[in-house]
Amino acid sequence: FSQRDVTRTLYQAELKRPILEAIARPAEKRLNWTQYRNIFLTPARISGGVDFWREHAEILARAEREYGVPPQIIVAILGVETYYGQRMGSYRVVDSLATQAFEFEPGSWRARFGAQQLEQLVLLSREQGVDPLTLVGSYAGAMGYGQFIPSSYRNYAVDFDASGRRDLWDSPMDIIGSVANYFQRHGWEQGV
């Protein structure tokens, strides 16, 4: 990398107050399990999962054969994370990560996370051949259907469709294969 390119990218990052507000009030910490469950186990989300499964049954079956992760697990993750791609976030990932890196107490867990993931984002953008300023995701810096942070994208995303690129936004094959690979690499045991 040239210092000029990295500096140009970082200077274009915008610190966003709504990101700080979202981090301060995550639903996971405010709600008990029953309340949290009621967000995800709705007729519409279940119907969306059935539709997603039907549409991508062959890919899900292949992922299960290759990684040992059942389709219902992959479909459930995609339903919880982004409602099957309907809610993938609206923040530029570079803004999310820069806000965390530079707006939290230096040396804090959140500031270290933001800085580490910014580095991973720059590396990922080079590997994928994309402008890091164009990638959009969650307030926390997670991207695509499966909401992979940059380091997870680099380490666990797979080119399941053999296109030469790992695309977690528009390739159902890469999305499904990557979620399955993530689970397998983290110790998923088939049938347990």
Side-chain angles (χ1 to χ4, degrees), residues 15-139:
L15 305 180
K16 302 280 188 179
R17 180 86 22 222
I19 292 169
L20 296 171
E21 293 166 3
I23 288 171
R25 56 173 172 69
E28 297 86 353
K29 290 191 177 182
R30 294 183 326 217
L31 305 175
N32 66 40
W33 166 240
T34 301
Q35 295 167 319
Y36 195 68
R37 181 187 64 206
N38 290 337
I39 294 170
F40 297 106
L41 294 179
T42 64
R45 199 174 298 252
I46 292 167
S47 175
V50 170
D51 292 344
F52 184 90
W53 193 334
R54 283 184 182 139
E55 183 177 351
H56 304 294
E58 288 181 29
I59 304 166
L60 289 159
R62 178 179 163 212
E64 182 175 25
R65 282 191 309 274
E66 293 188 24
Y67 296 103
V69 180
Q72 63 267 28
I73 300 299
I74 298 168
V75 172
I77 290 299
L78 297 174
V80 167
E81 291 297 339
T82 61
Y83 203 157
Y84 314 105
Q86 293 181 45
R87 299 179 184 152
M88 292 192 281
S90 58
Y91 297 101
R92 289 190 320 171
V93 175
V94 71
D95 296 339
S96 298
L97 298 174
T99 297
Q100 294 174 69
F102 303 120
E103 287 296 305
F104 280 86
E105 179 73 29
S108 69
W109 174 87
R110 185 61 74 172
R112 288 192 318 272
F113 170 84
Q116 291 165 351
Q117 292 306 314
L118 266 175
E119 176 185 9
Q120 294 296 308
L121 179 67
V122 171
L123 292 167
L124 174 67
S125 67
R126 180 172 66 182
E127 292 165 0
Q128 294 289 110
V130 298
D131 181 347
L133 299 172
T134 65
L135 300 176
V136 177
S138 74
Y139 68 83

Side-chain angles (χ1 to χ4, degrees), residues 56 59 62 158-162 167 171-178:
H56 304 294
I59 304 166
R62 178 179 163 212
V158 296
D159 181 15
F160 210 49
D161 64 8
D167 181 355
S171 169
M173 291 184 79
D174 289 358
I175 293 160
I176 290 166
S178 296

